[in-house]
Structure formats: C-alpha cells, structure tokens
Amino acid sequence: MSRQDFFRKELVTELRRVEAMMRKEENIEKKIYYFSAAYGITNRTLRYAFTDDYLMADFVLNTCYTGLMDRFKRIRSGDSTVPLEARHFEKIQEGMRLLADAFDEGTSILKPLEVILTATFATSGPGNYLREKGDLQI
C-alpha cells in the first residue's frame, strides 16, 4: 500500500466515524464537537500526503466549524434570531457521508463540500434570511 493510499484510507475511516458519531448524538454542542474532528483529520492528512482536495476539504470543514461555533455561542448568549436546527445537522452529516464516499472512490469532492457549506451557511444571518425568503434550500 502506498503512502497516499494509507492516508486516504485513514481519512475515509475517520470521516465515516465522525458522521456516525454526529448522527448518534442529540446534543448540538456535542455534534459540533464531533464535527471538529473532520477538519482535524483533513489537516493531518494534508500534512502527510498533500493534495488540492485535502486542502479544499480542510478549508471548507474548518470554516464551517467556525461558523457553527459562532452561531452556537450567539444562541448561548441569548441571540435566538437564527436557530440551529436538526435539519442543518442532517445535511451536514449527509455531506460528511458523501465526502467520505468521494475520497474513497476517487471522485469529485465538490458536491459533498457544497452540501456541508450550504447547510452551515443557512445557520448564518444572511443564509437564514435567504432560507426564510425561499432562495436557499437545505
């Protein structure tokens, strides 16, 4: 097994684990915590077996984690204008499964990252506004 194959396999295994742990968890804070492991594994993987796809996935997952944490902190501080809903996490989890499949099969990661990014964007002020007016579907 080549070095690239080894790290890709480890990445796929960890992304699948993250998705499964998120699905089992009901607590939103814990779901976000588990989600952070996704960019953790992409970051480690790109350091040992760099590809543009690993870098892109790392950037999107890290950005999404930061956005989710920002929304969660706003909610905890009393801002209830944009809720974190089960639907957001269902789509993020779906995107995680699709991302693991894409890395496993060597196919494009664009669609899975779009699913994750769109679901996360819907938790922001502008994203929620677009969702409420019907322009953004998750």
Side-chain angles (χ1 to χ4, degrees), residues 20-64:
M21 292 175 84
M22 287 179 71
R23 279 199 192 280
K24 289 178 185 172
E25 185 57 53
E26 292 186 24
N27 179 284
I28 288 175
E29 187 174 18
K30 198 80 179 252
K31 280 184 181 284
I32 297 169
Y33 165 74
Y34 288 140
F35 182 62
S36 73
Y39 78 82
I41 189 62
T42 55
N43 192 268
R44 286 188 301 277
T45 303
L46 73 86
R47 292 173 189 272
Y48 292 107
F50 181 85
T51 69
D52 293 340
D53 281 352
Y54 297 157
L55 180 62
M56 178 65 74
D58 184 62
F59 180 79
V60 170
L61 294 173
N62 193 331
T63 300
C64 289

